[in-house]
Amino acid sequence: MSILRRAIAVTAGATALAFGLALPALAHVTINPGTAEKGGFAKVAFRVPNERDDASTTKIEVSLPVDHPLPFVSVRPVPGWDVKVTESKLPAPVQSKYGEITEAVTKITWSGGKVEPGQFQEFEVSMGAMPDNVDQLVFPATQTYSSGEVVKWADEPKADGAEAEHPAPTLKLIAPTGDDTHGAAAMASPTASAAPSVVAVQNNAQTEPISAATSDGTARLIAGIGVAIGIIGVGVAIVALRRRPTA
């Protein structure tokens, strides 16, 4: 029976490990896609999953950088949610290719809706131009639940590449590829003033859940592998017991 007990222990450990690897990838607020070209414009989605079993997500706040402000920001309405875009005076003027920036969008807040347990919601934002003198932009987020719980996703990426306990959504900035047409039409003729442009874009397209499905599929695959390992372990133990010579 000791062989069977060891097999059961291996099964439990493998299953726990599989789910432990799968769940963190879906638990925190992320920005998708995770990269954008330096100097260009990008449409991103802040993906907010609800990892609580007994409460809904009722508000999400995203802070935009003030040391590298984005002159042009627009949001796509989300059915059932109210959105508030906050513009603030910057601590110090920032020079950009559109001129001196003294005010910019510093926070976007979505409220009034619900992300139920086991669900996620994406909040889309079009923004630019991306700075060309940094390699990433960090967007601290605050998630509020119907229970009153507040979780801050504000930890910056660690130098060693390890994931922080409450990682902030981080957008990696990459070198231009020369194929930056995203948002070019909308921003083809910016005004000389670098005052932030805040526009609510009509919701004329469905949010693309492709990458979310991919993440969920990966998590399920990892969990499935763990379960399969456990089943194999139990099978090996049973065979060993049957072959064990009797006294």
Side-chain angles (χ1 to χ4, degrees):
M1 294 302 293
S2 62
I3 297 176
L4 182 58
R5 283 195 292 269
R6 285 197 296 269
I8 293 174
V10 170
T11 301
T15 304
L17 176 61
F19 280 101
L21 291 173
L23 295 179
L26 302 177
H28 53 76
V29 178
T30 58
I31 187 170
N32 300 277
T35 61
E37 292 187 6
K38 294 180 178 181
F41 292 84
K43 184 187 79 170
V44 300
F46 291 95
R47 183 173 300 152
V48 182
N50 184 13
E51 72 280 14
R52 297 292 184 265
D53 296 327
D54 56 353
S56 302
T57 295
T58 56
K59 184 168 72 172
I60 183 74
E61 296 174 313
V62 175
S63 297
L64 279 66
V66 295
D67 51 348
H68 299 286
L70 300 168
F72 303 98
V73 175
S74 60
V75 296
R76 169 172 283 180
V78 180
W81 290 80
D82 298 321
V83 59
K84 178 182 178 182
V85 179
T86 302
E87 297 181 53
S88 304
K89 187 175 181 61
L90 299 176
V94 176
Q95 294 296 328
S96 77
K97 61 183 178 181
Y98 299 111
E100 185 180 80
I101 305 175
T102 58
E103 294 184 355
V105 174
T106 56
K107 185 170 66 174
I108 306 176
T109 304
W110 291 270
S111 61
K114 286 186 178 181
V115 183
E116 302 289 356
Q119 300 179 359
F120 75 92
Q121 179 65 59
E122 289 189 337
F123 302 90
E124 292 185 320
V125 180
S126 178
M127 54 190 179
M130 300 296 165
D132 52 16
N133 57 347
V134 293
D135 295 326
Q136 65 182 22
L137 293 177
V138 179
F139 299 84
T142 301
Q143 186 174 9
T144 302
Y145 296 89
S146 57
S147 62
E149 179 186 7
V150 176
V151 177
K152 293 184 179 296
W153 304 100
D155 296 344
E156 296 197 12
K158 294 184 178 180
D160 60 1
E163 186 173 81
E165 182 178 359
H166 292 89
T170 301
L171 184 65
K172 301 290 185 181
L173 301 182
I174 61 176
T177 62
D179 188 31
D180 181 22
T181 58
H182 188 79
M187 303 299 180
S189 302
T191 60
S193 171
S197 173
V198 184
V199 182
V201 181
Q202 292 298 319
N203 189 14
N204 56 6
Q206 295 294 326
T207 300
E208 303 88 346
I210 296 176
S211 53
T214 302
S215 298
D216 184 61
T218 302
R220 293 177 184 273
L221 176 61
I222 295 174
I225 291 173
V227 174
I229 292 173
I231 293 173
I232 293 172
V234 173
V236 171
I238 293 173
V239 171
L241 286 174
R242 288 181 176 177
R243 291 183 177 178
R244 185 176 182 181
T246 59

